[in-house]
Amino acid sequence: MQQDMILILDLGSEENSALAREIRALGVYSEIYSHDITAEELAALPNVKGIILNGGENRMVDGVAIDASDAVYESGIAVLAVDHKARRIAGLTALGAWSNDTEEHLAELRSFVFDTCKATPNWSMENFIADQVELLRRQIGDKKVLLALSGGVDSSVVAALLIRAVGDQLTCVHVNHGLLRKGEPEEVVSVFKEELGANLVYVDAIDRFLDKLAGVADPEEKRKIIGAEFIRVFEEEARKLEGIDFLGQGTIYPDIIESGTKTAQAVKAHHNVGGLPDDLQFELVEPLKMLFKDEVRACGRALGLPESMVERQPFPGPGLGVRCLGEITRERLECVRESDAILREEFERAGLAGKVWQYFTAVPEFKTVGVRNNARCFEYPVILRAVNTIDAMTATIERLDYDLLERIVERITTEVPGVNRVVFDLTPKPTGTIEWE
């Protein structure tokens, strides 16, 4: 079923993703585009029922207030201007800034979407899955797909979608780059190959990745090295398999938004958005690229994936590479891996595993002075992070019980070699991102 769509044009607001999610919550599909969308780009989008010009504090670019393109005003599509001095045209509705927590705001939004735009509330996971299956079959045809299967939520849902769409034309590749959590490679092989019967290829590339990352401290460079090396591994596996034309990716909407648009500065490059090499030999398959994280989980449930997989802890594509802060060394990488395992174990015991959205440890490259065995020691600190979020665009801090914190600190400082200090990060997003790098 072709779904009606409301476009949100970014004119400097920091609330674009929140607005898009609100519209989707009303049952109508919504996407975010740049303010200067062209007539050709607009015409190529199906079933656009309305356009929201979402202005905000970042509307001034190089001293000039940006505005929507002529194509928008001349399209004949209903337009709503929010906190934005748009051109005065017949039929344009202009509203001041609103709070997305108020019933008045929601009433105004509903009125525009349903009364003005006459949109049909036909956005649902079932319709999304049906549309994606059709699109995947049309894109892939009778050819083969290679999928990077980390075992995380995003890649697992992509795998499930591809299996439904093209079946055994899919080959999953699990690359152990040495940056995975403790026990994770073994778990991925057990679940996907032995329990789900996926066509799975396991690649041990630990030394290859760590050698490439040696001496690299800049987080953006690390991301790009990891992303590019992943592609190289896939190219090699594709040559072994023969006939691979497509590369499946677990890209989701926050990855695209945070990697920057024409009107939004990049927060950080994501390995599957900004880290792909220019000479990529595959056509990309990204069926989740317009979903927020909570929608990805809902999609997984609708596809019948087990709850343990759907609710799995989010894990960045570069893995522990962005939690071993600065230059990656094998010593600090093990500090991250072991401290993370302790944190996850204690959260499980405390009944927090399904309550807290994301929790992990990070280890910086500097050392701190401490006392061990009645002597001065100079070892690494471990940073604890525990946050809650719905769409990964904003996040709040989980208020942890002090006894639990003391237990985690005691275990990490006694069980993890080379660590003498533990600190708890209390910074929400914004101003901090969820990850440290």
Side-chain angles (χ1 to χ4, degrees):
M1 178 186 294
Q2 194 67 263
Q3 296 159 345
D4 290 347
M5 184 191 301
I6 302 293
L7 297 189
I8 297 170
L9 298 190
D10 178 13
L11 282 92
S13 174
E14 294 183 352
E15 301 296 327
N16 294 313
S17 61
L19 183 56
R21 294 192 73 260
E22 283 184 344
I23 296 170
R24 293 185 188 188
L26 295 175
V28 178
Y29 186 59
S30 180
E31 289 184 10
I32 303 166
Y33 283 83
S34 174
H35 70 287
D36 57 354
I37 188 171
T38 66
E40 292 75 20
E41 290 169 334
L42 190 57
L45 295 173
N47 286 26
V48 177
K49 297 295 185 179
I51 299 173
I52 298 179
L53 310 181
N54 202 24
E57 56 276 20
N58 298 320
R59 188 172 167 235
M60 301 298 293
V61 177
D62 296 329
V64 178
I66 58 175
D67 199 354
S69 64
D70 291 339
V72 171
Y73 292 105
E74 297 168 0
S75 67
I77 299 171
V79 177
L80 171 68
V82 181
D83 189 22
H84 163 62
K85 296 178 180 178
R87 300 179 216 177
R88 293 187 177 277
I89 61 172
L92 182 141
T93 304
L95 295 172
W98 56 32
S99 167
N100 59 8
D101 294 327
T102 66
E103 278 301 318
E104 181 183 2
H105 157 71
L106 293 174
E108 290 171 338
L109 189 59
R110 279 194 292 266
S111 177
F112 176 72
V113 171
F114 297 119
D115 299 336
T116 304
C117 301
K118 308 298 183 187
T120 302
N122 54 9
W123 160 247
S124 67
M125 271 308 136
E126 289 72 19
N127 288 341
F128 171 81
I129 290 169
D131 287 348
Q132 287 302 317
V133 166
E134 181 183 343
L135 290 170
L136 287 168
R137 288 173 177 166
R138 193 183 308 160
Q139 180 184 8
I140 297 166
D142 59 356
K143 297 180 179 178
K144 296 180 181 179
V145 188
L146 195 63
L147 172 67
L149 181 56
S150 68
V153 177
D154 301 336
S155 64
S156 298
V157 175
V158 170
L161 265 175
L162 285 168
I163 288 169
R164 180 169 293 192
V166 298
D168 60 7
Q169 293 168 238
L170 170 68
T171 297
C172 299
V173 176
H174 177 61
V175 178
N176 184 355
H177 50 21
L179 305 172
L180 296 171
R181 290 171 290 199
K182 188 174 182 177
E184 205 156 42
E186 296 82 1
E187 183 183 14
V188 168
V189 172
S190 174
V191 170
F192 287 94
K193 189 171 185 176
E194 298 172 13
E195 295 180 24
L196 300 182
N199 183 14
L200 177 66
V201 176
Y202 173 82
V203 182
D204 184 342
I206 296 174
D207 291 337
R208 175 173 175 171
F209 274 82
L210 295 185
D211 288 347
K212 283 275 187 180
L213 291 164
V216 178
D218 181 76
E220 295 299 274
E221 189 177 352
K222 286 196 293 186
R223 275 186 168 83
K224 291 180 180 179
I225 288 172
I226 293 167
E229 199 61 21
F230 254 108
I231 299 302
R232 299 307 175 209
V233 172
F234 293 142
E235 286 176 335
E236 292 168 13
E237 294 305 318
R239 284 193 290 270
K240 294 176 187 176
L241 295 167
E242 296 183 357
I244 300 291
D245 293 284
F246 296 91
L247 176 65
Q249 291 245 96
T251 308
I252 65 175
Y253 213 12
D255 295 342
I256 295 173
I257 296 169
E258 288 195 339
S259 292
T261 63
K262 295 177 183 177
T263 50
Q265 183 178 0
V267 176
K268 56 187 175 184
H270 287 261
H271 76 291
N272 49 2
V273 178
L276 298 176
D278 295 332
D279 58 343
L280 183 66
Q281 299 299 307
F282 307 109
E283 182 178 338
L284 290 180
V285 174
E286 301 175 295
L288 306 182
K289 67 181 179 181
M290 290 303 177
L291 294 187
F292 292 100
K293 194 72 178 188
D294 60 315
E295 294 172 330
V296 174
R297 296 186 192 280
C299 183
R301 291 188 186 94
L303 285 165
L305 290 177
E307 195 68 15
S308 59
M309 189 177 297
V310 171
E311 286 298 329
R312 191 169 186 178
Q313 271 275 296
F315 195 54
L320 300 183
V322 292
R323 296 177 182 173
C324 185
L325 309 180
E327 180 183 349
I328 297 173
T329 66
R330 292 177 188 251
E331 177 192 22
R332 282 193 303 112
L333 192 55
E334 286 309 305
C335 289
V336 179
R337 201 182 330 267
E338 292 300 323
S339 61
D340 176 80
I342 290 172
L343 180 67
R344 288 189 287 135
E345 188 176 305
E346 290 298 331
F347 267 46
E348 183 73 36
R349 287 177 179 172
L352 295 175
K355 176 186 175 186
V356 182
W357 189 82
Q358 189 168 10
Y359 45 93
F360 59 88
T361 64
V363 178
E365 55 185 342
F366 61 82
K367 293 184 177 182
T368 69
V369 68
V371 178
R372 190 181 298 282
N373 299 324
N374 297 318
R376 176 188 175 97
C377 65
F378 204 51
E379 298 175 342
Y380 296 109
V382 165
I383 301 159
L384 306 182
R385 189 88 164 120
V387 299
N388 289 309
T389 183
I390 294 176
D391 57 14
M393 298 304 296
T394 62
T396 58
I397 301 302
E398 174 69 16
R399 294 175 180 266
L400 297 181
D401 176 76
Y402 203 78
D403 289 340
L404 172 62
L405 280 173
E406 284 188 330
R407 189 162 58 251
I408 292 169
V409 171
E410 193 276 334
R411 285 196 61 191
I412 289 177
T413 54
T414 57
E415 297 178 27
V416 182
V419 171
N420 66 0
R421 190 182 300 268
V422 178
V423 298
F424 185 36
D425 180 3
L426 292 171
T427 313
K429 177 182 181 180
T431 56
T433 54
I434 293 174
E435 299 286 344
W436 269 57
E437 287 189 342

